[in-house]
Amino acid sequence: MSIAVMKTKAELSFAESFDTIRDQLPGGAGVSAARQAAADKFAQLGLPHRRIEEWKYTDLRNAMKEALPSSVGDETALTIADVIVALGPLAHLDASRVVFVNGAYREELSSASDVAGVEIESLAAVLSEGGERATGLANPAGPDNDAVLALNTAYMTDGSVVSVKEAAAVEKPLLLVHVRAGMEPGFTAVRNVIEVGGKASVQIIEAFVSLPGAVEAGQVNTATRISVGEEAKVLHVSCAADGQANVTHLSNWIVNIAAGADYGGFQLTQGVALARNQIFVAFSGEGAKLDLSGVFLGRNNDHIDTTLVVDHAVPSCESRELFKGVLDDNARGVFQGKIIVQPIAQKTDGKQMSQGLLLSPNAEFDSKPELEIFADDVVCGHGATCAQLDEDLMFYCQSRGIPADVAKVLLIESFIGEAVENIGDEDIVEAIMGFARGWLAQA
């Protein structure tokens, strides 16, 4: 006996909206077929809910009451000055910018047309060309049963296709800027596809920001596929700092790391009402290194979920994960980290830590670290902590003339600083801390 599951208003709206706008979305026959298959998959799966183990802390079906209209075709006018204001602390970086406004590439606002060793294309343009390459870019290359990824495939409007040539040493960071602007609430789906050649080195920053005065309601679904070639070195930073009261941010990273490569990833999440950041990492070659870290800052009724899966599928690889959250008022933070060590993956070295700092008795931090080890010659461990500010440290600061509110900020900065410092680049570290200080100043 099968029981029919009632579709929610949001699920029905997504299906109806796709039927309405499918002809406006970029792509030829192959891409259109991939979109339709993804839309059918989403219709089958529906929005994830708490009865799905990976989503038990984040009931998206209950949280997303409605589906906002797609932003496809949006032509909101912006100037370079507007982009600089929206970027906040990131505006001071000496970086090559690729700018998207409400999910559409804006060449006149970008400054990355001629970067040595790098080819940057608009995803919409590549999809519109058709052919096998376009169909391949439409493939999310992630989990088959992920409804959020399926929604991204069905609705994606644009994004960056970045190819870094072998042995290229890219001098400036590539700043992929996604700006939410305008007075109409909307749903934006974007995809970035990044391929880094062997022995190349590059820094890539994804920024999801909003223009001051933009409509408070918004929904963003972003997916990033990144392939790190042999012996390449990549720093990949994501900054979701919308700053509005009613924004949903759904993010997926799908990362493949080849032999001898060094991949460092960092995520900052703040200023969004509901966030779910999923990271899927697979090692495909021996001797590779992964260093993942992140900071999430929540207040009011914010809900911020970071869920990652790291698959050690080959021997002699190293992985490190460190995520820290600061939660105030009724905010809730979630961290789920699964490390899988396959039977062949001997000599694996993996360590994971998640830490929550609660500034309110009503705040909540849920941590679920997991290790699935099927090899015997490994060094692996995980841990999780959750606490309030140390009263002794507060007293120590105040006894030396530091006001209580200043002491509180100093201790919070010190707490998150360990994760932020993992970025390594001083300018990017300072920009990320600038966002954090702005968030603290609003308290």
Side-chain angles (χ1 to χ4, degrees):
M1 176 180 177
S2 61
I3 301 175
V5 178
M6 294 290 292
K7 296 293 184 182
T8 66
K9 178 183 177 181
E11 291 168 341
L12 292 172
S13 295
F14 275 125
E16 294 171 0
S17 176
F18 178 75
D19 290 336
T20 302
I21 69 168
R22 70 169 73 193
D23 292 337
Q24 302 176 51
L25 296 167
V31 175
S32 295
R35 290 186 187 278
Q36 185 60 59
D40 293 342
K41 174 67 71 172
F42 177 77
Q44 173 192 344
L45 296 171
L47 289 169
H49 49 82
R50 59 187 177 86
R51 290 186 177 87
I52 300 174
E53 178 64 23
E54 295 84 355
W55 290 83
K56 71 175 185 177
Y57 297 115
T58 302
D59 191 339
L60 200 58
R61 176 174 289 174
N62 182 59
M64 289 187 70
K65 301 296 185 183
E66 61 179 339
L68 298 178
S70 171
S71 61
V72 63
D74 180 271
E75 296 182 354
T76 301
L78 254 68
T79 66
I80 292 177
D82 291 329
V83 175
I84 291 173
V85 171
L87 279 172
L90 285 172
H92 301 292
L93 283 179
D94 183 15
S96 303
R97 295 177 190 159
V98 184
V99 180
F100 300 83
V101 179
N102 293 335
Y105 173 59
R106 296 292 181 87
E107 183 178 3
E108 73 279 9
L109 302 176
S110 303
S111 61
S113 58
D114 188 18
V115 179
V118 182
E119 182 180 5
I120 303 174
E121 302 170 274
S122 160
L123 177 67
V126 178
L127 293 179
S128 298
E129 292 173 358
E132 293 184 6
R133 184 187 181 208
T135 304
L137 293 176
N139 177 7
D144 293 332
N145 62 342
D146 192 281
V148 174
L149 264 177
L151 202 59
N152 181 272
T153 300
Y155 274 89
M156 59 181 174
T157 55
D158 212 338
S160 297
V161 180
V162 179
S163 300
V164 182
K165 297 179 181 178
E166 288 192 8
V170 184
E171 294 182 2
K172 294 183 180 181
L174 300 179
L175 180 55
L176 312 181
V177 186
H178 298 270
V179 182
R180 228 176 34 84
M183 300 310 296
E184 296 296 327
F187 169 75
T188 300
V190 293
R191 176 172 297 178
N192 297 310
V193 181
I194 302 164
E195 295 185 358
V196 182
K199 298 184 179 180
S201 62
V202 66
Q203 296 177 333
I204 297 171
I205 305 168
E206 298 179 88
F208 297 88
V209 293
S210 66
L211 189 65
V215 63
E216 288 190 354
Q219 295 171 342
V220 177
N221 183 320
T222 171
T224 299
R225 282 170 41 189
I226 181 165
S227 176
V228 185
E230 292 186 3
E231 298 183 35
K233 185 173 183 179
V234 175
L235 173 62
H236 182 200
V237 175
S238 174
C239 178
D242 195 287
Q244 299 293 350
N246 189 21
V247 172
T248 297
H249 183 87
L250 306 176
S251 164
N252 274 284
W253 280 5
I254 300 98
V255 184
N256 184 278
I257 310 176
D262 188 341
Y263 173 82
F266 178 88
Q267 292 188 341
L268 171 72
T269 307
Q270 68 174 69
V272 294
L274 172 63
R276 166 82 172 199
N277 299 315
Q278 298 189 136
I279 306 173
F280 302 98
V281 182
F283 288 97
S284 59
E286 296 186 28
K289 293 183 179 181
L290 165 71
D291 194 336
L292 273 178
S293 54
V295 168
F296 51 92
L297 309 172
R299 60 163 55 99
N300 300 322
N301 294 300
D302 293 349
H303 182 108
I304 304 173
D305 178 340
T306 299
T307 295
L308 65 90
V309 178
V310 177
D311 185 6
H312 283 268
V314 293
S316 303
C317 291
E318 176 181 301
S319 65
R320 298 288 185 270
E321 299 85 33
L322 174 62
F323 283 79
K324 298 199 173 199
V326 181
L327 304 164
D328 202 356
D329 304 321
N330 297 301
R332 184 181 187 185
V334 177
F335 176 82
Q336 299 182 105
K338 177 183 286 188
I339 311 300
I340 304 171
V341 182
Q342 304 289 357
I344 194 177
Q346 306 292 345
K347 305 295 182 182
T348 289
D349 182 355
K351 293 180 176 60
Q352 179 190 108
M353 173 62 74
S354 61
Q355 296 177 317
L357 179 61
L358 305 184
L359 305 181
S360 162
N362 298 319
E364 179 179 341
F365 178 56
D366 300 295
S367 184
K368 183 187 174 188
E370 297 178 83
L371 280 174
E372 294 186 2
I373 302 175
F374 302 100
D376 51 13
D377 188 6
V378 301
V379 178
C380 293
H382 61 66
T385 65
C386 183
Q388 297 176 321
L389 282 173
D390 191 313
E391 292 183 1
D392 291 339
L393 289 177
M394 284 291 294
F395 175 77
Y396 176 86
C397 292
Q398 290 177 265
S399 68
R400 277 148 182 80
I402 301 175
D405 55 345
V406 177
K408 183 177 180 180
V409 169
L410 290 174
L411 292 176
I412 294 173
E413 286 189 16
S414 176
F415 172 73
I416 66 175
E418 182 184 3
V420 179
E421 290 292 335
N422 280 351
I423 295 173
D425 184 280
E426 292 184 5
D427 293 335
I428 301 176
V429 167
E430 186 59 30
I432 296 299
M433 290 303 296
F435 279 107
R437 293 184 185 111
W439 184 87
L440 289 170
Q442 296 171 7

